[in-house]
């Protein structure tokens, strides 16, 4: 950076302070000072763009975000901001252009969900955006979703038709038919384009999904669209001949036979009545169609919503339960069921469905590796509310969730909240959206946490702490805020304060029976105090009580190592032994057992406890027979303990194993290492010499035999030494005469 770093940092801090206080003009001035020192920071342009946006100075805001985008061409966020400004100015085509460019970034990263959502938002703003429509069709085609791709190609065909490009529109219709040959809309549009006659079809029923639409509203639109395009099978079922109207609302109709065209017409009338708000008439049509054999999740879902609108809640629940298992209608059905049970005063049942809604929404925003933790959090959430028996808290949570999922732009809010939670979460602690919704002033609290994080990144730890304290005053029971404060204490070197805060949060999680969250907090503590055996012991107890055996074993290893580091070797061995008793419950018993035995044997080796070490290595080889280092150590220990027969048996076993594997080079290398460890062992030298001869390496064999002969002479074994020299002579070494002279002297 060419400018003054101190001046730059000061200007940034001042700008953020002014932004926090809502003094946007002063924030702009400070950011401009920072830019004078460094004009290459894209984050700074983002701050400047936000300040201009808050002041209503849209051209300057667009320029700032444009510069941020140019400096970070692989980031979609600035383009999304640019799109929002264009939309605010009523420039819908320009907004769609920016969102299309953002989607291209997501596509390059293979982030298909974000790409799809961004393209759909662009098309909501400007339905005839040809590039966005084509890109969305290509994404669905790439993801092997032919029907959704065909729908987008049809939308593209209509856009081209409106532009007068009839031939190009026909091409897109053909592509749609290749993907979905039975698509009636594609056939009708193709015929219309070829003949020039507008197609005859049922009035469009797919209501545009408004930003304020709840999950139930969105599912209703899907159901209407699905039903409008379904040719129903022929049916011989009898159905009521009575006219559609406001008859006895629960009376089963008399039966007459209906053909497929009659059923199609009945479903079309049901759709028409529903879209026009004629609820009783729609209910009558759906009921008669179902009696004729129509058994589609979409029909049951729509009928359930209609019953809900008429406050016939028990009937609504019956119909919605028939749709809830279908993936397309699961989210909407759970939401509507929650509303029905809530209206009936059955808060426990309502919570079960509302929690399921939030789980599905939240799982759609997280990375795959977070999914398991998040599912367990939500599975325990409803049970937690029910177990507390706190009807008021459950009702408050249910109301918060309904308000959130019925608010404008709730999907974007969910993604934004998840992004903020993930940016503040560390390994071991997964936060759920449920925690946010259960907190008062949720959006304000999240904003405070984000600002606190920004201060901490820039080293302004006092300011970060103050922001946390202010947020805790708003939401004292929101534990992630307390975790954030503990992190800041840790960054500031206030280790005792951080540990105390972490311990308090862990205790509260345990009171709430949220063990997985408590585990994550203990892991954070141990990053600050890795040698604290008390904290690690508590973590092990918690993991064992949760059935997390593999993770418990990892922590046992760390605990034993900590004891070893503080010179409590016996305590270290005790913890290894405790862990060893757990291995039958591990996911990979042999691997865990071998790892622990190796650690224990190595400690006994370092303490010269040869007998104990030999026994542990023997057990290790029974578990992991191909552990070369263990076998070499065992051979060495047997020789040290005078157990030469057992040592020799291990040498034979080692050589035989590698000979059978056709890996004599490996066997020879291990024998060399064994000889290096026990150079005075005559039997080992003899084994090594024999192995060299078998491998066709006489010179190396002679070297070993030479050393063997010297050892025999030193030990007074004259006859054995003479036999060794004769054997060397039989190998015809280059200096054979010298060996003959030696033999004569002997």
């Amino acid at each position: 950076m060419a400018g003054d770093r101190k001046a730059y940092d000061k200007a940034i801090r001042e700008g953020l302070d002014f932004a926090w206080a809502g003094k946007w003009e002063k924030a702009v001035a400070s950011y401009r000072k920072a830019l004078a020192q460094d004009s290459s920071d894209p984050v700074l342009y983002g701050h400047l763009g936000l300040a201009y946006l808050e002041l209503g100075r849209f051209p300057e805001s667009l320029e700032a975000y444009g510069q941020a985008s140019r400096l970070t061409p692989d980031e979609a966020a600035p383009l999304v901001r640019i799109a929002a400004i264009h939309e605010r100015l009523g420039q819908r085509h320009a907004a769609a252009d920016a969102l299309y460019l953002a989607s291209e970034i997501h596509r390059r990263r293979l982030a298909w969900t974000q790409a799809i959502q961004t393209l759909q938002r662009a098309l909501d703003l400007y339905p005839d955006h040809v590039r966005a429509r084509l890109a969305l069709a290509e994404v669905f085609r790439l993801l092997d979703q032919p029907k959704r791709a065909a729908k987008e190609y049809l939308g593209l065909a209509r856009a081209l038709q409106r532009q007068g490009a009839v031939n190009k529109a026909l091409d897109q219709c053909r592509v749609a038919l290749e993907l979905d040959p039975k698509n009636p809309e594609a056939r009708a549009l193709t015929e219309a384009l070829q003949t020039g006659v507008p197609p005859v079809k049922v009035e469009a029923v797919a209501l545009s999904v408004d930003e304020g639409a709840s999950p139930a509203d969105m599912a209703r639109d899907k159901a209407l669209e699905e039903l409008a395009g379904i040719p129903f099978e022929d049916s011989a079922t009898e159905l009521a001949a009575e006219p559609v109207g406001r008859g006895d609302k629960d009376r089963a109709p008399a039966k007459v036979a209906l053909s497929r065209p009659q059923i199609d017409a009945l479903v079309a009338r049901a759709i028409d009545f529903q879209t026009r708000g004629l609820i009783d008439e729609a209910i009558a049509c759906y009921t008669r169609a179902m009696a004729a054999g129509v058994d589609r999740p979409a029909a049951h879902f729509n009928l359930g919503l209609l019953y809900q609108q008429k406050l016939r809640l028990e009937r609504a629940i019956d119909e919605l339960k028939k749709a809830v298992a279908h993936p397309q209608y699961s989210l909407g059905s759970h939401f509507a069921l929650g509303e029905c049970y809530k209206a009936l005063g059955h808060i426990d049942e309502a919570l079960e469905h509302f929690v399921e809604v939030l789980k599905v929404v939240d799982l759609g925003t997280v990375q795959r590796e977070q999914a398991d933790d998040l599912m367990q959090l939500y599975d325990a959430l409803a049970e937690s509310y029910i177990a507390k028996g706190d009807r008021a808290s459950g009702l408050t949570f249910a109301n918060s969730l309904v308000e959130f999922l019925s608010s404008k732009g709730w999907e974007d809010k969910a993604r934004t909240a998840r992004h903020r939670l993930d940016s503040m979460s560390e390994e071991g602690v997964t936060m759920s959206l449920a925690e946010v919704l259960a907190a008062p002033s949720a959006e304000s609290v999240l904003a405070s946490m984000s600002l606190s994080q920004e201060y901490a990144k820039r080293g302004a730890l006092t300011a970060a702490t103050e922001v946390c304290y202010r947020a805790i005053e708003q939401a004292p029971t929101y534990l992630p805020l307390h975790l954030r404060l503990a992190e800041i204490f840790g960054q500031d070197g206030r280790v005792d304060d951080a540990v105390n805060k972490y311990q308090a949060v862990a205790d509260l999680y345990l009171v709430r029976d949220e063990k997985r969250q408590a585990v994550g907090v203990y892991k954070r503590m141990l990053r600050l105090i890795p040698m604290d055996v008390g904290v690690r012991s508590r973590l092990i107890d918690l993991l064992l009580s949760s059935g997390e055996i593999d993770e418990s074993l990892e922590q046992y290893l760390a605990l034993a190592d900590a004891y070893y580091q503080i010179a409590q070797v016996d305590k270290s061995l005790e913890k290894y032994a405790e862990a060893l008793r757990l291995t039958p419950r591990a996911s990979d018993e042999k691997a865990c057992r071998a790892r622990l035995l190796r650690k224990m044997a190595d400690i006994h080796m370092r303490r010269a406890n040869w007998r104990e070490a030999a026994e542990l290595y023997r057990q290790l080889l029974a578990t992991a027979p191909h552990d070369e280092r263990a076998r070499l150590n065992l051979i060495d220990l047997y020789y040290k303990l005078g157990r030469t027969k057992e040592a020799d048996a291990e040498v034979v076993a080692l050589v035989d194993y590698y000979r059978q594997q056709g890996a004599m080079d490996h066997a020879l290398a291990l024998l060399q290492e064994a000889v290096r460890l026990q150079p005075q062992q005559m039997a080992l030298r003899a084994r090594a010499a024999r192995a060299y001869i078998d491998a066709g390496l006489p010179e190396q064999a002679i070297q070993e035999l030479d050393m063997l002969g010297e050892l025999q002479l030193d030990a007074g074994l004259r006859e054995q030494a003479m036999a060794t020299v004769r054997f060397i002579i039989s190998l015809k070494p280059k200096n054979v005469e010298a060996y003959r002279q030696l033999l004569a002297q002997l």
Side-chain angles (χ1 to χ4, degrees):
M1 185 174 72
D4 185 337
R5 183 73 202 187
K6 289 184 178 179
Y8 173 83
D9 289 340
K10 181 183 177 185
I12 287 288
R13 286 195 298 272
E14 289 175 350
L16 291 170
D17 288 337
F18 287 135
W20 172 251
K23 299 176 181 178
W24 297 107
E25 289 285 0
K26 291 184 177 180
V28 166
S30 295
Y31 293 146
R32 284 292 181 192
K33 287 180 185 177
L35 281 173
Q37 302 301 324
D38 181 11
S39 60
S40 64
D41 185 354
V43 176
L44 182 51
Y45 281 106
H47 292 325
L48 184 60
L50 177 60
Y52 278 136
L53 183 60
E54 292 294 333
L55 291 168
R57 294 164 63 178
F58 300 122
E60 292 99 324
S61 183
L62 282 172
E63 182 182 351
Y65 281 123
Q67 185 61 21
S69 180
R70 285 188 286 275
L71 289 170
T72 55
D74 291 326
E75 290 295 328
L79 289 166
V80 173
R81 284 285 194 178
I82 290 169
I85 296 168
H86 281 305
E87 183 183 0
R88 196 163 169 179
L89 293 170
Q91 299 165 351
R92 299 171 76 85
H93 191 283
D97 283 340
L99 288 169
Y100 167 75
L101 294 174
S103 77
E104 289 297 287
I105 293 171
H106 293 313
R107 288 176 71 187
R108 288 198 296 272
R109 291 177 174 175
L110 305 183
W112 302 118
T113 301
Q114 293 96 318
I116 290 168
Q117 290 166 345
T118 306
L119 287 167
Q120 287 174 334
R121 180 69 189 127
L123 291 168
D124 285 344
L125 290 170
Y126 197 82
D128 282 358
H129 197 287
V130 172
R131 288 187 298 165
R133 186 74 67 182
L134 178 60
L136 187 55
E138 289 174 346
V139 169
F140 284 138
R141 196 170 187 175
L142 187 64
L143 296 177
D144 197 23
Q145 298 184 33
K147 290 193 175 182
R148 296 182 74 179
K151 178 184 173 184
E152 297 307 326
Y153 280 118
L154 274 177
L156 179 57
R158 293 192 191 96
L160 291 168
Q161 181 191 25
R162 285 188 284 271
Q163 295 172 13
V166 175
N167 289 333
K168 290 183 179 179
L170 272 170
D171 289 340
Q172 302 309 317
C173 284
R174 292 188 188 104
V175 176
L177 283 169
E178 287 174 6
L179 292 167
D180 188 8
K182 295 182 180 180
N183 191 309
E185 290 185 57
R187 290 198 297 269
L189 184 56
T190 301
E191 183 179 351
L193 289 168
Q194 289 171 337
T195 61
V197 179
V200 178
K201 62 175 183 177
V202 178
E203 184 178 351
V205 299
L207 307 177
S208 60
V209 179
D210 184 75
E211 281 189 322
S214 72
D217 297 329
M218 296 165 73
R220 177 202 61 209
D221 297 340
K222 288 179 188 173
L224 287 169
E225 186 175 8
E226 179 185 328
L227 290 171
I230 294 174
F232 291 94
E233 297 298 324
D234 286 316
S235 174
T237 307
E238 295 181 345
L239 187 64
E242 65 184 42
V244 174
R246 299 173 179 267
D248 184 347
K249 59 188 178 184
D250 288 325
R251 178 167 55 85
K255 295 187 175 181
V256 295
L258 287 183
S259 65
R260 189 180 75 184
Q262 289 174 310
I263 294 175
D264 286 346
L266 193 56
V267 171
R269 292 175 70 192
I271 292 170
D272 180 56
F273 285 138
Q274 185 176 0
T275 55
R276 290 194 285 138
L278 302 174
I279 299 173
D280 287 319
E281 291 83 348
I283 287 174
C285 284
Y286 277 124
T287 304
R288 295 176 69 209
M290 288 177 186
V294 174
D295 187 21
R296 307 282 303 192
H300 289 295
F301 179 78
N302 277 350
L303 183 55
L305 289 188
L306 291 166
Y307 279 136
Q308 183 187 5
Q309 287 178 268
K310 296 295 290 183
L311 298 180
R312 295 161 64 181
L313 299 175
E314 298 290 354
R315 295 293 299 274
I317 288 169
D318 289 342
E319 294 299 327
L320 291 167
K321 282 183 175 178
K322 295 173 184 175
V324 75
H326 193 279
Q328 272 194 300
Y329 305 109
S330 176
L331 188 65
S333 296
H334 278 299
F335 185 82
L337 283 165
E339 289 188 307
C340 289
Y341 280 119
K342 180 169 165 282
L344 288 169
H346 301 164
I347 302 303
D348 288 352
E349 291 91 337
L351 279 171
E352 288 181 19
H353 290 286
F354 282 140
V355 169
E356 191 66 27
V357 171
L358 199 54
K359 179 170 79 172
V360 173
V361 170
D362 209 356
L363 285 171
T365 65
V366 300
Q367 303 296 322
R368 181 173 295 180
E369 57 270 19
Q370 295 174 280
D372 289 342
D373 284 347
L374 207 58
M375 286 180 72
Q376 293 191 35
L377 285 178
Y378 279 110
D379 288 345
L381 184 61
E383 294 177 16
S384 172
Y385 274 110
I386 293 167
K388 290 174 187 174
D390 188 346
R391 180 184 173 85
S393 295
L395 188 57
T396 300
F397 174 72
N399 289 335
S400 297
L401 194 147
V402 172
E403 181 182 354
F404 174 76
L405 292 174
S406 301
S407 66
K408 184 177 181 180
W410 65 266
E411 289 180 293
D412 289 336
K413 288 179 184 177
R415 284 190 291 272
T416 301
R418 168 52 55 198
H419 177 72
R420 285 182 172 176
L421 288 173
D422 287 347
S423 71
M424 294 177 290
S425 297
E426 294 186 11
E427 181 186 355
V429 179
T430 299
M431 300 181 190
S432 69
L433 281 179
E435 290 180 87
V436 180
L437 292 179
S441 307
E443 290 191 29
S444 174
V445 167
L446 274 177
S448 296
M449 290 182 75
S450 185
L451 183 61
S452 146
Q453 188 177 33
E454 185 65 27
Y455 276 132
K457 281 180 181 177
R458 296 186 175 276
L461 298 178
T462 301
T465 304
E466 289 173 358
V467 170
C468 266
Y469 278 131
R470 286 200 296 268
I472 288 171
E473 287 177 4
Q474 287 181 279
T477 61
Y478 185 48
L479 295 185
L481 273 173
H482 294 272
L483 286 174
R484 185 81 196 94
L485 189 57
E487 289 167 19
I488 296 168
F489 286 156
Q491 284 179 262
D492 202 18
R494 298 164 59 182
V495 176
D496 289 343
D497 290 338
V499 169
N500 290 336
K501 176 61 75 173
Y502 277 135
Q503 187 61 62
V505 174
D507 290 343
L508 282 168
Y509 274 131
L510 290 173
V511 167
R512 286 158 50 169
D513 199 30
E514 295 178 15
K515 292 181 179 179
R516 292 184 70 84
Q517 300 295 77
V519 164
V521 176
Y522 277 123
K523 287 181 179 179
R524 290 189 183 194
M525 291 172 68
L526 287 168
R527 281 198 285 273
L528 285 175
I529 46 171
M531 301 304 292
D532 192 308
V533 294
V535 171
R536 201 171 295 275
S537 295
R538 289 197 291 277
L539 174 57
I540 290 171
D541 291 341
L542 189 54
L543 288 167
L544 287 173
S545 68
S546 302
E548 300 285 342
I549 303 302
D550 288 351
E551 183 63 27
S552 300
L553 288 168
E554 289 297 325
Q555 294 301 329
Y556 258 120
L557 284 162
L559 178 61
D561 185 61
Y563 275 121
Y564 188 83
Q565 295 297 324
I566 59 176
Q568 295 190 34
V569 180
D570 290 336
K571 199 72 176 175
S572 176
L573 288 167
E574 177 188 316
K575 294 303 170 186
Y576 281 130
E578 287 179 19
L580 198 60
R581 290 192 287 274
L582 284 176
T583 54
R585 297 165 60 191
S587 59
D588 189 342
E589 179 184 355
K590 286 188 176 180
C592 290
R593 182 175 175 79
R595 190 175 174 191
L596 288 163
L597 288 169
R598 193 176 295 113
K599 291 277 189 182
M600 296 170 73
D602 289 348
I603 289 176
H604 281 297
M605 280 282 281
R606 287 193 287 271
R607 300 180 83 189
N609 295 335
W610 293 344
R611 195 174 303 281
E612 292 85 350
E615 175 57 25
L616 288 165
Y617 280 127
R618 188 191 63 76
Q619 293 179 37
L620 172 55
L621 286 171
T623 302
H626 308 317
D627 190 319
E628 297 170 356
R629 177 52 55 184
R631 195 171 295 279
L632 282 173
N633 285 344
L634 184 58
I635 291 168
D636 183 39
L637 286 167
Y638 277 155
Y639 280 127
K640 285 176 177 175
L641 291 167
R643 296 160 64 175
T644 53
K645 287 185 179 179
E646 290 159 287
D648 196 42
E650 290 296 334
V651 173
V652 171
L654 183 148
V655 174
D656 286 348
Y657 172 77
Y658 285 108
R659 181 184 289 115
Q660 291 169 10
Q661 300 295 316
M664 276 304 294
D665 288 348
H666 206 66
L668 291 171
L670 292 173
L671 277 172
Q672 285 176 346
E673 178 65 11
V675 169
R676 186 189 67 78
L677 291 171
Q678 290 289 337
Q680 303 302 313
Q681 294 297 329
M682 291 180 277
L684 189 56
R685 293 277 186 185
R687 291 288 179 194
R690 171 53 61 188
Y692 280 126
I693 290 169
D694 291 344
L697 299 170
E699 291 184 8
Q700 288 88 334
I702 290 168
Q703 290 176 8
E704 291 299 331
L705 290 168
D706 211 338
M707 292 299 301
L708 175 60
E710 289 185 16
L711 290 171
Q712 290 168 334
L713 286 174
D714 291 342
L717 303 172
R718 190 179 187 86
E719 291 297 326
Q720 289 91 328
M722 291 171 63
T724 299
V725 174
R726 289 191 190 97
F727 189 57
I728 293 173
I729 292 169
S730 72
L731 295 175
K732 300 178 180 178
K734 293 179 181 178
N735 55 344
V736 65
E737 288 302 324
Y739 283 104
R740 287 191 178 116
Q741 290 176 12
L742 174 60
L743 181 59
Q745 291 172 5
L746 290 173

